[in-house]
Amino acid sequence: VAPPQDLQITDPGLLGSLDIEWKPPPNIQTFNECTVTYKFEYRNTGDRDWKVIFTGKLKLRVGFDLSRTAEVKVQTLLEGRCANDVEVQSDWIYATFQVPLQGKLESEVQNFHCIYYDWEYLKCTWQPGLLTPHGVHYGLYYWYEGLDHTTQCDDYIQDHGINIGCVLQNLSQAEYKDLSICVNGSAAATLLRPLYVTLRLHNLAKPSPPKQLAISMSALEELHIAWSPPGGETPPQCLEYEVQLAEDQREAKAAWASVSTQMETALTISRANQSRISCVRVRGRTNIFCADQGFWSEWTQECFSVFRKEDKQPFILIPVLLSLSSSLIIFILIGQCKKRSPAGKPLHAPVG
């Protein structure tokens, strides 16, 4: 079987989503008793592995890093009676695409970093490039499947009049999709290198700290810890938690020890032979069922006092000692009253 024909790559201006199109092999009409499909593979130059798509279509849209060359290849697959029920593969045809990159690499923005807070808004920040001239202006543009065209940020973060960040709202439709971003810069008489990145929001999520941390001690010296999921739009079923406990080391600095990482919102810990004061804190992040990675939330801050059994003994003896002291005082007073009464006479005259 012959390979496909006229493999072409075009850029629709969607910050890395390129349209790949080809034509069927010239002798396809002779394969009426066979199924014709195509094996399409693509990657950026420098990537070790190819991404693979099996399709019966003649056009695809896939994402690339436009800062590197895009490489694609496609072959014809033939299977059926005309091929004696054996899959027949054609040779590959290849094509590449490279956006003309302007400016020097050192003029590209540095330290680009994004966090998806509470699954509500995306905050991206960056620093000017090493070869950034005075009076530079930066703009952030983004696109994801579902948008008709590339959109510019409308809420920039500035430092001394220079855009160094952007806050993007209402991105729920972009979750679990490729979010393509370009940070471009312009300056008078100077060409600056644009930055292209592709993000996945669920892998950038950072929740707020857990709420309503409650701690109690049972009669069996077991410490019960419970909390509630954080607010915001973070799906509760997508969270896991880490619990840490600090022991009071008297003169030494208290050391935190991780007790558990779990998806439940409660934990029981044996407290036998523990120190008098402990601190418990909890934090959360997106679990492996909803993301490949994510950011831990900040820690909760909750401290409490717990007394050991031997610490409780002095407090039990105090009421006993007070009771004995009171009884002793009463007997002394009665004895003093008897001494002051005339000998052989009652303290009160009989009635009747």
Side-chain angles (χ1 to χ4, degrees):
V1 61
Q5 306 177 89
D6 301 330
L7 179 60
Q8 297 181 0
I9 305 175
T10 56
D11 183 7
L14 301 178
L15 309 180
S17 291
L18 303 180
D19 289 334
I20 319 298
E21 189 173 5
W22 60 89
K23 294 179 182 179
N27 56 343
I28 192 172
Q29 293 82 6
T30 63
F31 305 128
N32 294 328
E33 296 181 342
C34 279
T35 301
V36 178
T37 57
Y38 303 97
K39 184 178 181 180
F40 172 78
E41 298 188 8
Y42 66 103
R43 69 178 182 183
N44 278 110
T45 298
D47 292 344
R48 180 178 179 181
D49 300 320
W50 293 83
K51 298 178 182 178
V52 182
I53 298 176
F54 294 92
T55 181
K57 300 179 180 180
L58 298 174
K59 184 175 182 179
L60 294 173
R61 174 174 287 176
V62 292
F64 294 91
D65 177 3
L66 291 187
S67 64
R68 295 181 290 157
T69 301
E71 303 179 11
V72 302
K73 60 181 181 179
V74 63
Q75 67 176 177
T76 307
L77 302 180
L78 189 66
E79 187 174 12
R81 292 180 60 186
C82 70
N84 296 323
D85 295 323
V86 177
E87 184 181 76
V88 178
Q89 302 175 348
S90 73
D91 294 332
W92 292 98
I93 58 171
Y94 297 84
T96 60
F97 180 86
Q98 173 68 66
V99 173
L101 294 179
Q102 62 185 25
K104 296 182 179 180
L105 180 61
E106 292 79 5
S107 65
E108 183 181 275
V109 296
Q110 305 178 90
N111 301 325
F112 183 81
H113 183 69
C114 296
I115 297 179
Y116 192 37
Y117 289 97
D118 289 325
W119 294 59
E120 289 183 345
Y121 66 93
L122 179 71
K123 181 180 179 181
C124 296
T125 57
W126 60 84
Q127 294 176 345
L130 297 176
L131 298 181
T132 301
H134 180 72
V136 65
H137 174 77
Y138 290 112
L140 182 143
Y141 303 85
Y142 66 97
W143 180 85
Y144 57 87
E145 185 180 356
L147 290 181
D148 294 332
H149 52 79
T150 301
T151 305
Q152 183 177 182
C153 172
D154 58 6
D155 186 7
Y156 284 107
I157 302 169
Q158 293 191 334
D159 181 27
H160 296 91
I162 298 177
N163 294 339
I164 60 166
C166 169
V167 177
L168 299 178
Q169 308 274 359
N170 303 318
L171 292 177
S172 60
Q173 298 299 317
E175 292 172 2
Y176 296 99
K177 298 180 181 179
D178 286 338
L179 176 64
S180 300
I181 289 181
C182 173
V183 180
N184 202 356
S186 61
T190 303
L191 296 177
L192 303 181
R193 177 73 60 92
L195 171 73
Y196 294 97
V197 294
T198 300
L199 307 177
R200 284 293 186 102
L201 293 176
H202 56 280
N203 289 331
L204 301 172
K206 180 177 181 177
S208 295
K211 301 187 301 183
Q212 300 174 344
L213 179 62
I215 302 155
S216 61
M217 175 70 76
S218 72
L220 299 176
E221 291 292 303
E222 290 182 334
L223 186 66
H224 298 290
I225 307 168
W227 59 91
S228 298
E233 299 298 324
T234 303
Q237 70 274 13
C238 286
L239 287 173
E240 66 174 351
Y241 303 95
E242 181 180 13
V243 180
Q244 281 192 344
L245 181 69
E247 307 282 334
D248 182 18
Q249 303 294 332
R250 302 300 179 185
E251 300 299 328
K253 185 178 180 181
W256 291 98
S258 292
V259 178
S260 174
T261 300
Q262 56 177 18
M263 286 182 285
E264 294 78 12
T265 57
L267 183 67
T268 299
I269 304 171
S270 174
R271 292 287 299 160
N273 299 322
Q274 300 292 349
S275 56
R276 176 177 299 181
I277 300 177
S278 295
C279 239
V280 164
R281 61 186 183 181
V282 184
R283 63 179 181 174
R285 71 174 175 183
T286 307
N287 60 40
I288 60 174
F289 300 104
C290 296
D292 297 326
Q293 57 189 19
F295 297 103
W296 282 107
S297 73
E298 303 300 325
W299 290 102
T300 57
Q301 295 296 332
E302 184 75 17
C303 292
F304 61 97
S305 297
V306 177
F307 297 99
R308 295 176 298 179
K309 292 180 180 179
E310 57 268 29
D311 294 328
K312 296 178 182 178
Q313 294 175 359
F315 295 94
I316 296 174
L317 290 175
I318 288 175
V320 176
L321 293 175
L322 288 176
S323 178
L324 291 175
S325 300
S326 300
S327 299
L328 182 60
I329 292 173
I330 291 173
F331 285 127
I332 292 174
L333 290 176
I334 291 174
Q336 291 294 329
C337 291
K338 287 184 177 180
K339 289 180 181 180
R340 293 177 183 178
S341 301
K345 292 184 179 181
L347 293 177
H348 301 284
V351 178

